[in-house]
Amino acid sequence: SNTVWADNYVNVLNNLNKAKELIEQYQPVPSELSAWPAKKKNQLAIIDILSVYTFQTLVDTFGDIPYSQALNHEQYPLPVYDDDTKIYEHLISRLKTDISNLEEGKGAFGAGDIIYGGDVAKWEKFGNSLLLKLGIAVSDINPTLAQSTINAAITGGIITDESQNGVFRYLPEIFNLNPIFENLVVTGREDFFGGKPFVDFLNMTTDPRVAEYFQDVNGEYIGQVIGAGGNFSDFSAAGIFAYTPTTPGNLITHTEVAFYLAEAAARFGIGGNPETLYQDVVQASFREWGLSAQEAQNYLIINPYNAANWKKSIGEQAWVAMYNHPVVSWNFYRRLDYPALQAPPTAIANADGKVPVRLQYPTLEATTNGSNYAKASTAIGGDKLTTRIFWDIH
């Protein structure tokens, strides 16, 4: 909890806020005067889109969080926690404004943009895909807002293929490595291996992605009971992608967006035929992991779409496909209640024998911002791993 909180507030949101301040303070030279207003508008919109992305992640992880008073430490050294429902509503409105402020052909960050290389059109697709994500998230709690948001996102233009993926490109240098590689290789640790429920599911469904996700043990893929230890040689380690320093980090991908379309169709009849979109999702995931269309087709024959229980079909597939995008996978699990998972007997008391549906607030918040922390804990129903985020109503 401490790391997730600090990384997002300090290393992401604070840096984005500082970037916004630098943009606002920049004085263009005479040759830039005519082009600067539109370019500045694009830069600020991109910065804010990433801020919306990060705030959504924090809400989805903790529930009520500092928002309206966040990032203004001089005025609000001890920020209040805002209601997570209200934050979401504001994020949707805020994101729509950001997208409308983007204008192609006016420049942005150019080569300094390590996600899209200055391509504003792709940022529009990123923004609309994020809007789709926000809309899907509130489907159970506010279907009216969900549908209007989903429709606006699709109409605006979302990510439709892998070339438009929003990914963070890591470099081979020691300070710019993929953090998974850093944890597995640089530290020399040999105690990361696959969880038994996940590996067993891949084996049971004859899923060829298992060979991409994990390494075999004498020709077999073997997972360990969650929470249990073991020898590295006895269980399947993460796949080669995790031992590659430049494996990109996923922000929003075509596979993720395809899942939202499938869910929108199944829930609300928006965007197409649910079964066809389910098949598109599987094809997209197989392509992402370097597998063939025929392999995807063979898999779909064994694992077809179940219209009578679409939540199970989409939920289990998202669990599998989002293996390298775990927060998104967790969101699908909490929203759709699939797959059916059980907490291990070694789970801590705060989990109450259940699979966590949120993270606890950081201990530092309880000690340094105690009054606001206490109010937030009461407001959400207790600072527990079992307290549901506002959109997780089941």
Side-chain angles (χ1 to χ4, degrees), residues 297-317:
Q297 193 58 43
N298 295 340
Y299 176 83
L300 284 164
I301 292 171
I302 303 172
N303 304 280
Y305 178 70
N306 180 0
N309 193 349
W310 63 267
K311 288 188 175 183
K312 184 175 188 293
S313 288
I314 294 176
E316 290 180 345
Q317 279 304 315

Side-chain angles (χ1 to χ4, degrees), residues 40-60:
K40 174 184 177 181
K41 201 172 184 180
N42 279 343
Q43 289 184 351
L44 290 174
I46 291 169
I47 291 293
D48 204 60
I49 287 170
L50 290 171
S51 297
V52 169
Y53 180 99
T54 310
F55 273 120
Q56 183 189 14
T57 301
L58 284 164
V59 171
D60 290 348

